Amino acid sequence: MGKSKEILGIDVGGSGIKGAIVDVSNGELLTERLRVDTPQPATPKAMTSAFKDLLDKFNYKGDVIGVGFPAIVRRGVALSAANIHEDWIGTSISKLWGKASKKKVYALNDADAAGMSSVSFGRAKKEDGVVIFLTIGTGIGSAMFVDGTLVPNTELGHFYMPNGVKSEHHASSKTRKENDLSWEEWAARFDEVLAQVERLFSPDLILLGGGASKKFDLYSHLLHTEAKVLPSALMNEAGTVGAALYAYQRAKK
Ligand code: BGC
């Protein structure tokens, strides 16, 4: 098991569940990235059936599947549920989706997955020191690396800003859209989030992923961190690639 380097990676998000077969030796996608909608409410039952629908679109012959999941994930079990149904808390993604797919499923936090692909194949490849990867989407996800090693489940979207609001509610893409904020207004808020992140961790590099990272040129001049801030070069596929890579590494052990 785990010898093949062609692994199905799945990225579970607040609005869509996306997957592709990935060559984990170079991070390249071997198939198109396919997608199903994330059901609402996003209960374990409804999401398992969406996961199966996505799986049916692939003729995947491998033994292992990697899943990036939008929650704290420890040993394959979801331990939080900010943007999915609370019934996920305490549910083993590995067991539930392992049974549904008859494959070995390795799950990790979605932002940790996306960060892993940047560290292995993308912009943070040669970076040592503290690298913080932030995904800006429905929530704010985070991945922290110290000399290339992941510190999992950092959840930097969930600390409280000085105004008492959670950082992801202060400056996610969802917040920007719901409050009709201009890029300037949103960037001012996001800059405040980065200031807190910097105060806490003094990172050497901050990488941005998720929807808002594609518009980096619109607001990069409005950010004032000491650390270098860059958009992740891998963009959309980062979570899928990282999930596949994680499964490969875990299956090898
Ligand atoms: C969740 C994180 C997730 C992030 C991005 C947050 O609300 O708590 O686990 O990584 O959203 O999906």
Side-chain angles (χ1 to χ4, degrees), residues 26 114-127 207 232-234:
N26 55 19
M116 272 183 73
S117 63
S118 283
V119 166
S120 303
F121 307 115
R123 283 243 155 99
K125 206 169 156 185
K126 296 208 166 67
E127 295 285 337
L207 279 178
S232 144
L234 288 156

Side-chain angles (χ1 to χ4, degrees), residues 14 50 54 66 75-76 78-80 110 125-126 135 138 142 147 154-155 166 179 192 208 212 223 229 232 250:
L54 181 61
R75 296 188 177 87
L79 294 174
S80 67
D110 58 347
K125 206 169 156 185
K126 296 208 166 67
T135 60
T138 312
S142 62
D147 293 337
T154 41
E155 293 288 338
K166 270 192 181 181
N179 295 286
E192 289 165 0
L208 304 182
L223 305 179
V229 182
S232 144
R250 290 290 312 278

Side-chain angles (χ1 to χ4, degrees), residues 214-229:
K214 291 180 211 154
K215 305 282 183 188
F216 188 65
D217 289 348
L218 294 181
Y219 58 81
S220 58
H221 61 289
L222 302 170
L223 305 179
H224 299 95
T225 53
E226 286 279 319
K228 211 165 31 169
V229 182

Side-chain angles (χ1 to χ4, degrees), residues 126-204:
K126 296 208 166 67
E127 295 285 337
D128 55 8
V130 177
V131 175
I132 292 186
F133 181 88
L134 295 173
T135 60
I136 313 151
T138 312
I140 291 181
S142 62
M144 178 152 71
F145 297 86
V146 182
D147 293 337
T149 301
L150 174 68
V151 181
N153 295 312
T154 41
E155 293 288 338
L156 297 183
H158 289 265
F159 66 77
Y160 288 90
M161 298 294 293
N163 63 1
V165 174
K166 270 192 181 181
S167 54
E168 76 175 7
H169 296 153
H170 191 60
S172 65
S173 290
K174 190 173 166 204
T175 298
R176 180 177 58 76
K177 290 174 196 157
E178 278 177 0
N179 295 286
D180 226 358
L181 301 178
S182 66
W183 282 105
E184 287 73 21
E185 288 165 327
W186 172 81
R189 287 181 176 214
F190 188 59
D191 198 38
E192 289 165 0
V193 171
L194 292 180
Q196 297 297 325
V197 168
E198 191 145 58
R199 196 171 62 81
L200 288 167
F201 300 106
S202 305
D204 297 284

